Amino acid sequence: MSYSLLVPTSMGVRLTPAGRQPAHTGGTFTLQATSAETNVASISSSLGLPVKVLTTFVKGHPFAAFIRADLCGRGMDVEGPEVPQGGPWGYRHQINIADSGAGLRGPRVWNDRAGEVGRTLSAEDFDLDRIFEDEGVEMIHLSGLIAALAPTFSLTLAETAMQYGTRISFDLNYRASFWEGREAELRDTFKAIASLSDILIGNEEDFQLCLGIEGPAAGGKDLAGKTDAFRAMIGDIRRQYPRAKVVATTLREVLDAETHLWGAIVSDPERTAVIPPKVISVLDRIGGGDGFVGGLLYGLLKNWDIEKCAQFGWACGVLAVTLETDYARPADEEQIWSIWNGNARVKR
């Protein structure tokens, strides 16, 4: 296999105000390359597994060059066409403006996706037989963001992956603004992708809203309620989507912008691993869920048992929220296991 993990994505940039300040007050901003799918892939690429990104770029755009260099710097192979901008009102890379919040002032995120070049993604842009058969891919990860942005492209990738025996991971990632006016189309696409998936990730609301799985009412704000709601749904998820060997979710309660309770549930046919929520310190919450998914998939690629996968995913999420970037780049596995073990002592 040439690649352990393949992620299709629409890349953009994130602007983050310095010093945890609100975006609307202006000042100095940090620029970073971003997408949910490459946030996930960053765990595996940082820990030495070969990763490939399928995306598209605006030809000649400085953000395109910035993004390509960033992904290569994270150890990812990148493939994708370049689309002419088409003038100042044409295509561009999405811009994500997000502050980190502080204390009881929660973070605020503004997504500006007008003219997003990722909406042009098509299976015809790529030689899928070469990628999946000649190069070889062990696992593909799709998120509900790319599935809503480019539904036909995403479904074709899932069908091709299944044809070649590639494991499929699908994080439902429901976004109401993406679904508005497109509910029937996207529900059909999401159900089709989920029916092909080996790994399904989402909270109880994701499964209800994306796949129409009837279950208990959302667990409310208390984590015990969320835990019970999700565990009650696992049987229904497996009955409706029997290919899914692994079903997973994270559990989060926000005490303030810098202090969260963080837990997880990961289930396979043999057992369900529950990580009770623990207090964690947060520098920037964005990307924590992606870090969890990235760590979980890394463990599955390493063929670890489900409890070890859950622990590693939980700790990768913790690492992600201590960073100014919305992706984590672990130094090594030892760093992640030190987080899991609560060992924050200096390493010399």
Side-chain angles (χ1 to χ4, degrees), residues 324-338:
E324 293 182 344
T325 56
D326 52 13
Y327 56 84
R329 297 182 66 182
D332 45 39
E333 288 184 11
E334 181 186 2
Q335 184 179 52
I336 302 301
W337 289 122
S338 291

Side-chain angles (χ1 to χ4, degrees), residues 176-198:
S177 58
F178 283 30
W179 280 63
E180 186 175 356
R182 306 169 65 209
E183 289 83 1
E185 171 202 3
L186 292 184
R187 177 70 64 82
D188 288 344
T189 299
F190 274 58
K191 284 184 174 182
I193 295 173
S195 71
L196 304 175
S197 297
D198 303 279

Side-chain angles (χ1 to χ4, degrees), residues 258-325:
E258 294 130 292
T259 312
H260 294 184
L261 294 171
W262 179 246
I265 303 173
V266 182
S267 179
D268 70 7
E270 302 298 324
R271 63 173 301 175
T272 297
V274 178
I275 299 178
K278 306 177 184 180
V279 175
I280 63 169
S281 298
V282 177
L283 178 64
D284 187 322
R285 68 165 284 165
I286 297 174
D290 296 331
F292 165 78
V293 176
L296 172 67
L297 298 187
Y298 178 81
L300 293 172
L301 287 165
K302 300 284 282 188
N303 296 314
W304 294 343
D305 66 66
I306 205 66
E307 186 164 357
K308 188 175 180 181
C309 291
Q311 294 169 353
F312 199 81
W314 180 91
C316 284
V318 174
L319 174 63
V321 301
T322 67
L323 306 172
E324 293 182 344
T325 56

Side-chain angles (χ1 to χ4, degrees), residues 6-205:
L6 173 77
V7 292
T9 191
S10 176
M11 295 299 304
V13 295
R14 177 184 172 189
L15 295 172
T16 308
R20 307 185 72 103
Q21 294 305 294
H24 71 275
T25 62
T28 302
F29 288 74
T30 299
L31 180 72
Q32 65 173 270
T34 187
S35 81
E37 299 81 16
T38 54
N39 289 352
V40 170
S42 190
I43 301 296
S44 287
S45 65
S46 297
L47 294 175
L49 296 184
V51 169
K52 184 163 191 165
V53 177
L54 302 184
T55 190
T56 190
F57 296 98
V58 179
K59 187 175 182 179
H61 198 293
F63 283 173
F66 173 75
I67 290 165
R68 192 185 291 274
D70 179 86
L71 295 178
C72 291
R74 283 192 261 163
M76 303 179 195
D77 289 348
V78 184
E79 180 176 337
E82 294 184 329
V83 177
Q85 181 181 1
W89 317 118
Y91 293 116
R92 64 174 175 172
H93 293 278
Q94 58 120 333
I95 301 172
N96 178 278
I97 304 168
D99 68 56
S100 304
L104 293 178
R105 174 175 58 81
R108 287 196 169 190
V109 178
W110 185 269
N111 288 304
D112 188 347
R113 308 186 82 117
E116 183 169 356
V117 69
R119 297 186 68 181
T120 70
L121 278 165
S122 169
E124 296 177 356
D125 294 334
F126 305 94
D127 184 345
L128 297 183
D129 290 328
R130 168 181 56 80
I131 292 170
F132 284 94
E133 182 174 23
D134 298 341
E135 295 177 355
V137 177
E138 188 173 350
M139 181 186 293
I140 181 173
H141 175 68
L142 296 157
S143 86
L145 303 180
I146 190 68
L149 191 75
T152 302
F153 171 64
S154 299
L155 179 55
T156 300
L157 283 177
E159 291 171 340
T160 306
M162 183 178 180
Q163 175 186 342
Y164 285 107
T166 296
R167 283 189 285 176
I168 301 168
S169 165
F170 188 25
D171 184 355
L172 298 174
N173 242 332
Y174 176 81
R175 293 291 186 275
S177 58
F178 283 30
W179 280 63
E180 186 175 356
R182 306 169 65 209
E183 289 83 1
E185 171 202 3
L186 292 184
R187 177 70 64 82
D188 288 344
T189 299
F190 274 58
K191 284 184 174 182
I193 295 173
S195 71
L196 304 175
S197 297
D198 303 279
I199 303 146
L200 285 174
I201 303 160
N203 60 35
E204 71 277 8
E205 291 177 314

